[in-house]
Amino acid sequence: LAAYRTDEGQPWVLPVVKKVEQMIANDNSLNHEYLPILGLPEFRANASRIALGDDSPAIKENRIGSVQSLGGTGALRIGAEFLRRWYNGNNNTATPVYISAPSWENHNSVFVDAGFKDIRTYHYWDAAKRGLDLQGLLDDMEKAPEFSIFILHACAHNPTGTDPTPDQWKQIAAVMKRRFLFPFFDSAYQGFASGSLDKDAWAVRYFVSEGFELFCAQSFSKNFGLYNERVGNLTVVGKDADNVQRVLSQMEKIVRTTWSNPPSQGARIVATTLTSPQLFAEWKDNVKTMADRVLLMRSELRSRLESLGTPGTWNHITEQIGMFSFTGLNPKQVEYMIKEKHIYLMASGRINMCGLTTKNLDYVAKSIHEAVTKIQ
Amino acid sequence: SSWWSHVEMGPPDPILGVTEAFKRDTNSKKMNLGVGAYRDDNGKPYVLNCVRKAEAMIASKKMDKEYLPIGGLADFTRASAELALGENSEAFKSGRYVTVQGISGTGSLRIGANFLQRFFKSSHDVYLPKPSWGNHTPIFRDAGLQLQAYRYYDPKTCSLDFSGAMDDISKIPEKSIILLHACAHNPTGVDPRQEQWKELAAIVKKRNLLVYFDMAYQGFASGDINRDAWAVRYFIEQGINVILSQSYAKNMGLYGERAGAFTVICSDAEESKRVESQLKILIRPMYSNPPLNGARIASIILNSPDLRKEWLVEVKGMADRIISMRTQLVSNLKKEGSSHNWQHITDQIGMFCFTGLKPEQVERLIKEFSIYMTKDGRISVAGVTSGNVGYLAHAIHQVTK
């Protein structure tokens, strides 16, 4: 599983998290009572606020809802279970669900297990040009049956690291609006991608400003480093408060038979942090530290490859964003990297940028150079 | 217009409604007997000392926050299995079981339900005792299974309808799934005696039923963890390969931390590996991997000899207080001059008690005395204290005399 690593190759507990955990540990007034079914209220409201923005029209108009979930996966699953029961009719398991090619491998299972029968892919990664296949994507949306559900990566697309530009997002939104397609955002890297919470939430917020009803599955695993506490949130944006209220009441029933109520520890840490101006500032700083290290590794790797004169173009390394990068190495080259150089990447050529450190950059760059020049 | 115009408002949670009404009540004598969480003799939530100690250890160790494996914290799952099965259990020692960490009792039940739906091809019928925990039905239904029932509670005697249960169970189609509450039946508090458990084991074995035990109160019922697990262990000894859901919400007071476990007793260790792999495939698209905090607290307690001893004392303390409240309620009712037989209150066990009160009587208790409980006459004995047991007895006598 992918997790952030420091320049020493070690896991990193965010300093603000350590601080807040100590506060919680020292607070004898806290107990371990059940949270409400939908989760800790301060967590839910603030988590959604982080995604949608302080000045979100949807929040002002009181037409948002939140479900505290077990990580991003849990948020996706609750959303999927709800959509299968209530979207596009009642219990319409035939509604097509579109997942990007490629995508996080668990997306498929989430929607299959939620009961959807027609899971399709939409064009996304263009291997030849090592970038977004926008035309393929838009074509798939034009051809998709009305009311199809599209899983969109809010930022730092997993596994390609390739995101649409704001202009491209606008084109995507226009087609989706015209064809009545449902946007289900997966936001697992807000802040972690560019270092800016607002920048990484641009796409979600744009869709909201365009009047879409949407879901956004948020994970706080990476941006808070709270992987094992399973902190996630499903943000629901609807037309009005009444619709959102009814949606939430049905989501509550789904939650009740899945985990009854969510775990308290991680949500408390996040809520405490988000509701304190000082801790919030500290957190943003910690997030930027992580994002900056990854960005640095990207630029250092690219410059080394270019200095070595490694055949091919390497600008995609810095144009891509987030934890992962599709290097463009083919399966044979990947095998060389693993067997001969003991550098582990996926058969797809996906590399985890967090695995790079100042100590191993030279070795990795040289190894990629060897793989590309020796193996075709 | 909205995608959600046709979405119906979900029905309000009946138990939540009790608490909501209780909160609004301004009567200083009000009592909330709907709450399904332990309260101390001052009516306050109780954080166990062994839990505080485990938490202090965790805080001092500065551990990382890396993902747990899909199946959960290994020290926790192993200790959970040992707690349920007993350290001398052949099934435990031979390793012919798999235990995965679940999201407390609900999550563990749901993993099991999903597993049965996918892999138990003989039947999709789950037989629940009448009555059972309200959430059992929707859990199994959402997993894609059908619900049936067997007689269990006798409202005339406020105790077990054993002959009715045996009669119904003897007619359950072979290879169906039967759910049994290991101890402290929720909501009635009525448990079979050991001789009755023996007969139940014999009949389910004869009918070749798949037995699903729900054990949410081990230690919390009698105060003795071995005694409360007796039925589970007996069934396994009789060669019945049960499946089991455990919760640490009540017996360790870890409610909101969601610590639980799901276990499958298998034919052998090799089978358990195959079952484990399939459980992981079910869990991953639900929430990827479980939350650490509660499981780590429970694991530290179970695996540290001193803390484990302390825990056993504290869980007995909770069980003893509940038992003492039952005794005091009955003696206070006698003092009030009630001529009814209230023996079931002390015969029943665990957090809940089916008082036998009728809906009209319950309504009077709520309206006239500000004593809140669910319409079925179920009270959470955890909500009774030495300070209010007299008032409760007085009120019950007033509405039943």
Side-chain angles (χ1 to χ4, degrees):
Chain A
L1 288 169
Y4 177 78
R5 291 286 176 268
T6 63
D7 199 48
E8 285 76 41
Q10 294 304 309
W12 192 53
V13 179
L14 275 60
V16 74
V17 167
K18 277 193 205 159
K19 191 186 272 194
V20 173
E21 279 190 313
Q22 199 56 59
M23 283 164 63
I24 290 172
N26 295 340
D27 187 349
N28 278 329
S29 74
L30 291 175
N31 55 42
H32 292 291
E33 293 298 289
Y34 288 124
L35 287 182
I37 296 171
L38 295 179
L40 186 68
E42 312 84 82
F43 167 79
R44 295 164 56 207
N46 283 286
S48 290
R49 188 175 57 81
I50 288 293
L52 303 179
D54 288 330
D55 53 358
S56 172
I59 294 179
K60 287 201 175 78
E61 291 154 26
N62 194 26
R63 54 188 181 85
I64 73 131
S66 329
V67 179
Q68 181 188 337
S69 308
L70 281 267
T73 306
L76 282 164
R77 182 59 178 266
I78 299 300
E81 292 279 353
F82 176 85
L83 289 172
R84 191 260 298 162
R85 285 164 173 73
W86 294 101
Y87 176 71
N88 194 23
N90 274 29
N91 205 40
N92 190 351
T93 58
T95 301
V97 177
Y98 282 81
I99 297 173
S100 68
S103 191
W104 181 47
E105 70 283 353
N106 205 20
H107 276 144
N108 205 75
S109 311
V110 169
F111 285 87
V112 166
D113 280 16
F116 284 100
K117 302 290 183 211
D118 186 358
I119 318 252
R120 310 180 185 186
T121 57
Y122 61 89
H123 285 85
Y124 196 84
W125 171 250
D126 184 334
K129 70 172 225 231
R130 291 182 187 175
L132 178 67
D133 178 4
L134 180 69
Q135 201 47 57
L137 192 164
L138 293 172
D139 282 349
D140 283 341
M141 285 185 169
E142 291 286 359
K143 292 195 208 104
E146 284 188 333
F147 320 131
S148 296
I149 297 162
F150 273 76
I151 312 307
L152 305 168
H153 297 230
C155 68
H157 181 272
N158 177 1
T160 68
T162 299
D163 289 343
T165 62
D167 234 54
Q168 292 171 330
W169 274 121
K170 287 180 179 176
Q171 293 180 63
I172 292 168
V175 178
M176 291 187 75
K177 194 185 264 194
R178 191 170 22 87
R179 306 242 353 103
F180 303 108
L181 306 175
F182 185 84
F184 195 151
F185 279 98
D186 182 351
S187 176
Y189 300 98
Q190 189 185 1
F192 190 96
S194 71
S196 157
L197 292 169
D198 294 324
K199 194 159 167 210
D200 290 345
W202 188 89
V204 179
R205 296 176 188 183
Y206 176 73
F207 272 65
V208 172
S209 72
E210 285 293 297
F212 281 90
E213 292 187 300
L214 55 81
F215 288 176
C216 179
Q218 301 167 259
S219 168
F220 292 89
S221 291
K222 285 85 174 171
N223 60 14
F224 260 89
L226 285 173
Y227 307 94
N228 62 27
E229 300 293 4
R230 315 311 295 127
V231 200
N233 189 51
L234 177 67
T235 288
V236 175
V237 179
K239 271 285 174 332
D240 54 51
D242 183 69
N243 274 294
V244 170
Q245 205 191 6
R246 280 179 283 107
V247 167
L248 248 51
S249 76
Q250 293 298 343
M251 285 186 173
E252 203 174 273
K253 283 178 66 180
I254 295 169
V255 168
R256 186 67 168 125
T257 61
T258 313
W259 55 63
S260 264
N261 42 77
S264 130
Q265 180 73 352
R268 267 183 183 157
I269 294 170
V270 173
T272 304
T273 305
L274 297 182
T275 52
S276 149
Q278 185 201 332
L279 293 172
F280 181 56
E282 257 184 78
W283 172 58
K284 283 196 284 189
D285 207 56
N286 289 171
V287 174
K288 194 162 185 312
T289 298
M290 291 190 286
D292 284 351
R293 194 182 95 67
V294 172
L295 288 168
L296 179 67
M297 291 301 102
R298 285 182 178 277
S299 82
E300 293 286 299
L301 179 61
R302 173 184 168 179
S303 68
R304 274 166 181 70
L305 290 170
E306 285 170 351
S307 305
L308 287 167
T310 309
T313 54
W314 300 102
N315 48 299
H316 59 282
I317 301 273
T318 48
E319 279 158 23
Q320 287 167 9
I321 194 165
M323 199 178 268
F324 302 113
S325 188
F326 255 25
T327 53
L329 294 180
N330 65 40
K332 285 212 189 80
Q333 293 164 338
V334 169
E335 197 179 336
Y336 177 85
M337 294 284 282
I338 297 173
K339 289 222 164 80
E340 306 298 324
K341 313 305 290 185
H342 310 293
I343 294 171
Y344 294 89
L345 48 164
M346 307 286 283
S348 57
R350 184 191 89 167
I351 197 169
N352 184 344
M353 300 307 297
C354 295
L356 290 177
T357 68
T358 48
K359 287 201 186 70
N360 67 24
L361 268 168
D362 286 337
Y363 179 69
V364 173
K366 264 198 269 166
S367 304
I368 292 176
H369 182 85
E370 278 180 36
V372 171
T373 48
K374 284 188 184 169
I375 317 275
Q376 262 72 55
Chain B
S1 77
S2 168
W3 288 121
W4 318 124
S5 313
H6 68 297
V7 175
E8 296 151 19
M9 191 68 185
D13 188 281
I15 295 176
L16 220 70
V18 169
T19 299
E20 294 300 301
F22 167 81
K23 283 193 192 145
R24 288 193 295 267
D25 195 319
T26 52
N27 186 345
S28 61
K29 287 197 151 128
K30 65 180 180 176
M31 291 176 69
N32 186 356
L33 300 182
V35 66
Y38 179 79
R39 294 288 176 264
D40 64 17
D41 203 46
N42 296 310
K44 297 277 180 276
Y46 172 57
V47 178
L48 279 65
N49 278 328
C50 60
V51 168
R52 288 210 190 279
K53 285 185 180 162
E55 288 181 296
M57 284 169 65
I58 291 168
S60 70
K61 280 214 182 117
K62 299 173 190 327
M63 301 173 197
D64 66 44
K65 303 226 152 275
E66 296 297 284
Y67 287 120
L68 278 179
I70 299 172
L73 185 67
D75 283 346
F76 168 73
T77 53
R78 201 199 52 83
S80 270
E82 191 197 41
L83 178 68
L85 307 180
E87 58 181 351
N88 293 319
S89 151
E90 165 273 325
F92 178 72
K93 288 197 285 201
S94 68
R96 63 177 185 95
Y97 71 93
V98 52
T99 300
V100 292
Q101 185 179 335
I103 313 299
S104 204
T106 301
S108 304
L109 281 162
R110 183 57 183 271
I111 291 170
N114 282 7
F115 179 72
L116 292 174
Q117 194 279 336
R118 195 173 277 188
F119 292 99
F120 192 64
K121 290 311 174 192
S122 316
S123 170
H124 274 178
D125 281 326
V126 179
Y127 285 77
L128 300 180
K130 231 187 306 193
S132 196
W133 181 42
N135 206 20
H136 276 145
T137 293
I139 288 172
F140 286 107
R141 189 166 285 151
D142 277 9
L145 301 170
Q146 277 93 252
L147 280 311
Q148 310 289 348
Y150 57 92
R151 275 173 286 168
Y152 189 81
Y153 178 71
D154 185 349
K156 287 197 231 56
T157 58
C158 297
S159 66
L160 181 63
D161 177 4
F162 186 62
S163 58
M166 288 298 288
D167 191 33
D168 284 354
I169 294 173
S170 68
K171 299 194 180 99
I172 293 179
E174 292 205 17
K175 297 192 186 166
S176 302
I177 303 155
I178 183 170
L179 182 125
L180 296 162
H181 297 224
C183 63
H185 181 272
N186 178 1
T188 69
V190 169
D191 286 350
R193 293 189 306 274
Q194 282 187 5
E195 317 90 72
Q196 293 170 324
W197 274 123
K198 287 180 179 175
E199 288 191 57
L200 286 165
I203 189 72
V204 306
K205 206 171 166 185
K206 188 157 171 224
R207 302 298 303 153
N208 199 8
L209 305 177
L210 188 145
V211 175
Y212 197 162
F213 268 111
D214 182 354
M215 184 153 69
Y217 299 97
Q218 187 183 3
F220 192 92
S222 71
D224 179 335
I225 49 160
N226 294 311
R227 191 156 151 205
D228 289 346
W230 188 87
V232 174
R233 297 175 187 182
Y234 179 78
F235 272 55
I236 296 172
E237 277 162 28
Q238 296 308 303
I240 302 166
N241 287 351
V242 308
I243 66 179
L244 164 74
S245 159
Q246 290 169 273
S247 167
Y248 292 89
K250 285 84 174 176
N251 61 10
M252 283 195 183
L254 290 173
Y255 307 92
E257 303 297 338
R258 321 310 292 128
F262 173 69
T263 296
V264 180
I265 306 296
C266 301
S267 316
D268 50 49
E270 188 273 330
E271 179 178 274
S272 76
K273 287 273 161 280
R274 287 184 280 116
V275 170
E276 183 182 21
S277 71
Q278 294 298 342
L279 291 174
K280 282 154 69 169
I281 289 171
L282 274 168
I283 291 170
R284 177 99 166 108
M286 253 196 273
Y287 51 82
S288 277
N289 42 72
L292 173 64
N293 198 44
R296 187 151 60 184
I297 293 169
S299 176
I300 288 173
I301 291 169
L302 292 173
N303 291 309
S304 319
D306 287 346
L307 284 182
R308 191 184 176 111
K309 272 205 203 87
E310 200 171 339
W311 173 58
L312 293 176
V313 170
E314 287 191 276
V315 78
K316 185 170 191 309
M318 291 192 284
D320 283 349
R321 194 185 90 68
I322 302 272
I323 291 167
S324 141
M325 287 303 102
R326 291 177 179 275
T327 308
Q328 284 191 42
L329 179 56
V330 173
S331 69
N332 272 278
L333 281 163
K334 288 205 180 98
K335 262 197 251 150
E336 288 282 328
S338 178
S339 54
H340 293 289
N341 180 358
W342 297 105
Q343 192 186 332
H344 54 281
I345 291 180
T346 42
D347 283 348
Q348 290 167 10
I349 192 168
M351 191 175 282
F352 299 111
C353 169
F354 250 27
T355 54
L357 292 168
K358 303 190 188 58
E360 322 83 72
Q361 296 167 327
V362 170
E363 184 145 359
R364 282 190 64 195
L365 282 176
I366 295 174
K367 289 220 159 73
E368 295 172 34
F369 296 93
S370 299
I371 295 173
Y372 292 82
M373 64 187 70
T374 45
K375 277 203 300 280
D376 54 10
R378 183 194 86 162
I379 62 170
S380 169
V381 184
V384 182
T385 69
S386 48
N388 62 27
V389 65
Y391 178 67
L392 177 61
H394 173 76
I396 290 177
H397 178 57
Q398 294 308 307
V399 306
T400 55
K401 65 183 179 185

